[in-house]
Amino acid sequence: MTWDDMQPLLHDATIETLQMVGIATLVTLLVGLPLGILLVLTDKGGLLQNRPVNKVVGAIVNVGRSLPFVILLVALIPFTRWVVGTSIGWQAATVPLAVGAIPFYARLVETAVRGVDGGLVEAVQAMGGSTWAVVRKALLPEALPALVSALTTTVIALIGYSAMAGTVGGGGLGNLAITYGYMRFETGFMVVIVIELVLLVTLIQLIGDLLVRRLSHRGAAAGLLARLRRA
């Protein structure tokens, strides 16, 4: 297969991969972020301490993390068909991608938020801040670099998941690798797809690291300015 033959196939498959990963990332962020914060707030000593809720949510997250993605992909076929109307294509693959990534990201969020200095929480509470004020003014700003790093890790994992989804008709680069690289013995095509995936992951990691460094410097500068003002 020549490059002229590969190029349109690679273009379409790349767009499909970016679409499914992008939508799954957005859903993961919208659901996983509050879920991770809820795990912290409802834990022992948390602002909304509620052990039964924490145990239930934690159990759901653990079950979601323990299931291999391929099994989850097959198990969610009825749900996927109900949500998007089909179980084939990149649109269908988006559903199990999001479901699989949400508990993964929620645990990373929990770890990041737990690393926030408790003194900041106490300071906001001492000024009469509500639970929402603590989350908005202390937990999220201080944990932001770690949250961005966690999201970067999640996006990279989603790219790997999307490749696995392609093996069962999920579209994207994974489907292309199976259809042409494996079934048609186009070894050169398989190598090109692998290189593209490596470059895509590397680019995302570089962007994530850059954002984390900038946010960390900004947070350090803001903390220094606050201490100077108090002095």
Side-chain angles (χ1 to χ4, degrees):
M1 181 177 288
T2 65
W3 173 248
D4 290 336
D5 296 326
M6 293 181 189
Q7 192 171 5
L9 295 173
L10 282 173
H11 175 268
D12 294 342
T14 301
I15 295 299
E16 289 181 352
T17 295
L18 293 177
Q19 286 175 325
M20 72 173 84
V21 171
I23 295 174
T25 299
L26 179 60
V27 175
T28 299
L29 181 62
L30 293 177
V31 180
L33 180 60
L35 197 61
I37 294 174
L38 181 64
L39 285 170
V40 176
L41 295 179
T42 58
D43 200 3
K44 184 178 180 179
L47 298 178
L48 300 175
Q49 180 174 328
N50 191 319
R51 297 295 288 172
V53 171
N54 185 267
K55 290 294 184 181
V56 171
V57 175
I60 293 173
V61 170
N62 289 337
V63 170
R65 292 181 62 200
S66 64
L67 291 176
F69 180 70
V70 174
I71 295 177
L72 184 67
L73 191 67
V74 176
L76 288 178
I77 286 178
F79 178 69
T80 300
R81 189 179 292 116
W82 177 74
V83 172
V84 298
T86 180
S87 59
I88 300 176
W90 71 265
Q91 297 92 338
T94 302
V95 176
L97 281 175
V99 173
I102 286 171
F104 178 79
Y105 183 61
R107 281 301 184 191
L108 295 179
V109 169
E110 180 188 12
T111 302
V113 173
R114 287 189 187 280
V116 175
D117 186 2
L120 294 173
V121 175
E122 293 175 359
V124 176
Q125 287 181 305
M127 291 185 292
S130 62
T131 300
W132 168 241
V134 171
V135 172
R136 185 169 58 89
K137 296 183 178 181
L139 297 181
L140 289 180
E142 289 299 316
L144 189 56
L147 292 175
V148 172
S149 179
L151 186 63
T152 302
T153 302
T154 303
V155 172
I156 291 174
L158 280 171
I159 293 175
Y161 290 165
S162 71
M164 284 189 280
T167 63
V168 291
L173 293 170
N175 182 63
L176 201 63
I178 293 296
T179 303
Y180 288 89
Y182 177 73
M183 293 183 176
R184 301 188 183 184
F185 304 101
E186 294 285 352
T187 306
F189 203 6
M190 179 75 81
V191 171
V192 171
I193 293 173
V194 170
I195 292 174
E196 182 177 354
L197 287 171
V198 170
L199 292 175
L200 182 59
V201 168
T202 302
L203 177 62
I204 291 173
Q205 187 66 62
L206 289 175
I207 294 173
D209 291 343
L210 178 62
L211 289 174
V212 169
R213 284 196 295 270
R214 289 190 175 183
L215 290 171
S216 298
H217 292 329
R218 183 180 302 175
L224 177 60
L225 181 60
R227 287 193 293 271
L228 289 174
R229 285 175 176 172
R230 287 196 297 270

